[in-house]
């Protein structure tokens, strides 16, 4: 079968011909149609992730969309989304014509949206949705600030917060086009971020736009998170799910304790299969109705190295998706 093999950490994967995988007990064989290239793929393949350096060669792709070829639990031909542990644990991922996946990890789909768009949404949409609703406890009327609103997680979060009843939604990002993009998605305001921001100055600029917020979705950490913490209303929550602006943030103990404010960590790896299924069902429903979308670009497997490099350099708007 055709697959993409990552032979050396830090280098893009290359198309190869390999033997097809054979499922074991409790596993399904899936014919893959689309596999996105995500920040987690790039991190794992760099060899510097907190999971350790992966054994090479391996097939990357921490998630995919396809149809069931064989399974003890799902009917042949069922369209599914699925996660993998490629790059995080021994084994291959979704960037191949066939993938072996635990039966319990398959999420059946209605087929209401095309496979490439669903793959582009994928784990990033699940992260945004569940970080807001489950970890962050988003309630009707909450004021929400989305840091990194120009990324795929942030783009979904701007839309998801409104769909889940937020009273006001604000974006914040460094890219020059991010303000207009947030406005196009219905944001109530936008905070421009600068790479040389200091906490006090950024916090003041944030407060001018958002006042106080009840919930911050934070894929950035660093200075933006430190500033956003100072804008949390009493009983407000900041949910961190990434560190692209820095690995540490600071907070005032007096500010945190005086308003019973909370800082929470989020990872997709902590979700149960039922939680993933519930989130994906909501995402698919809203996407099919035109209420939820992310920009994406499709690349055939033969151009996997190009897609990988362009995603890594930030040259793809939204998410690069490898098609098979």
């Amino acid at each position: 079968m055709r697959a993409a093999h990552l032979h050396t950490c830090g280098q893009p994967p290359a198309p190869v011909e390999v033997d097809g995988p054979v499922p074991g007990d409790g596993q399904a064989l899936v014919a893959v149609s689309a596999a996105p290239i995500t920040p987690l793929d790039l991190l794992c393949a760099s060899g510097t992730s907190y999971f350790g350096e992966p054994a090479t060669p391996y097939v990357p792709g921490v998630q995919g969309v396809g149809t069931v070829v064989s399974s003890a639990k799902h009917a042949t031909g069922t369209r599914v989304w699925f996660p993998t542990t490629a790059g995080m644990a021994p084994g291959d991922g979704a960037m191949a014509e066939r993938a072996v996946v635990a039966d319990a990890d398959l999420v059946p789909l209605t087929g209401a949206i095309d496979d490439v768009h669903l793959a582009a949404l994928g784990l990033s949409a699940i992260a945004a949705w569940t970080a807001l609703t489950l970890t962050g406890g988003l309630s009707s009327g909450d004021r929400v600030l989305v840091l990194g609103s120009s990324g795929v997680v942030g783009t979904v979060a701007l839309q998801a917060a409104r769909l889940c009843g937020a009273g006001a939604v604000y974006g914040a990002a460094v890219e020059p086009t991010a303000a207009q993009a947030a406005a196009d998605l219905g944001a109530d305001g936008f905070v421009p971020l600068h790479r040389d921001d200091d906490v006090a100055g950024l916090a003041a600029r944030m407060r001018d736009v958002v006042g106080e917020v009840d919930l911050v979705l934070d894929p950035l950490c660093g200075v933006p998170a430190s500033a956003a913490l100072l804008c949390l209303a009493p009983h407000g929550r900041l949910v961190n799910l990434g560190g692209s602006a820095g690995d540490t943030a600071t907070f005032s103990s007096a500010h945190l304790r005086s308003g019973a404010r909370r800082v929470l960590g989020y990872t997709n790896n902590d979700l149960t299969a039922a939680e993933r299924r519930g989130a994906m069902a909501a995402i698919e429903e809203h996407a099919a109705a035109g209420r939820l979308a992310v920009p994406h670009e499709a690349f055939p497997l033969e151009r996997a190295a190009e897609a990988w490099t362009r995603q890594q350099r930030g040259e793809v708007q939204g998410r690069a998706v490898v098609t098979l």
Side-chain angles (χ1 to χ4, degrees):
M1 71 171 186
R2 296 180 306 137
H5 254 187
L6 195 139
H7 287 272
T8 304
C9 288
Q11 298 297 315
V16 295
E17 287 284 339
V18 295
D19 293 334
V22 178
D25 291 341
Q27 292 183 319
L29 183 64
V30 177
V32 183
S33 57
I37 300 171
T38 69
L40 182 56
D41 286 303
L42 299 174
L43 174 63
C44 290
S46 72
T48 62
S49 82
Y50 42 83
F51 298 106
E53 185 172 329
T56 55
Y58 75 98
V59 175
V62 297
Q63 59 181 307
V65 176
T67 57
V68 172
V69 176
S70 64
S71 168
K73 185 176 179 181
H74 301 276
T76 299
T78 301
R79 289 183 69 192
V80 291
W81 172 87
F82 60 91
T84 84
T85 57
M88 296 174 274
D92 290 330
M95 218 169 288
E97 290 182 310
R98 298 286 186 273
V100 166
V101 187
D103 275 313
D105 287 340
L106 297 180
V107 177
L109 304 171
T110 67
I113 65 170
D114 70 85
D115 290 0
V116 173
H117 190 192
L118 189 62
L121 286 161
L123 280 172
S124 295
I126 288 174
W129 192 273
T130 53
L132 286 170
T133 60
L134 297 182
T135 306
L138 176 61
S139 297
S140 178
D142 275 354
R143 298 168 63 84
V144 178
L145 171 61
V146 177
L147 302 180
S149 60
S150 59
V152 175
V153 169
T155 297
V156 173
L158 287 176
Q159 299 165 82
R162 189 77 75 192
L163 290 170
C164 293
V169 182
Y170 303 94
V174 71
E175 291 78 8
T177 60
Q180 186 58 54
D184 291 343
L185 292 174
D188 296 283
F190 181 82
V191 182
L193 305 181
H194 307 300
R195 300 192 190 281
D196 59 352
D197 275 330
D198 63 87
V199 174
L202 178 55
R205 197 161 72 246
M206 281 183 175
R207 282 193 292 267
D208 286 343
V209 176
V210 309
E212 286 188 324
V213 292
D214 304 292
L215 179 58
V216 175
L217 190 79
D218 169 37
L220 302 183
C221 199
V223 169
S226 300
L229 279 164
L230 296 174
C231 299
L232 277 182
H235 303 287
R237 295 86 63 203
L238 181 145
V239 180
N240 174 263
L241 63 167
S244 60
D247 190 53
T248 60
T250 59
F251 62 85
S252 157
S253 174
H255 180 67
L256 212 60
R257 291 181 294 111
S258 65
R261 299 169 177 90
R262 288 178 285 161
V263 179
L264 304 158
Y266 174 90
T267 171
N268 277 328
N269 293 335
D270 201 39
L271 295 177
T272 66
E275 288 168 340
R276 279 198 303 268
R277 286 194 299 271
M280 184 54 77
I283 289 160
E284 193 179 13
E285 177 186 349
H286 287 299
R291 296 186 292 263
L292 187 61
V294 293
H296 54 278
E297 186 176 347
F299 297 81
L301 180 65
E302 290 72 23
R303 295 172 60 198
E306 176 193 348
W308 188 276
T309 301
R310 287 185 57 195
Q311 185 77 73
Q312 195 168 40
R313 292 175 177 170
E315 296 172 355
V316 175
Q317 186 181 11
R319 184 71 72 232
V321 180
V322 173
T323 58
L324 298 111

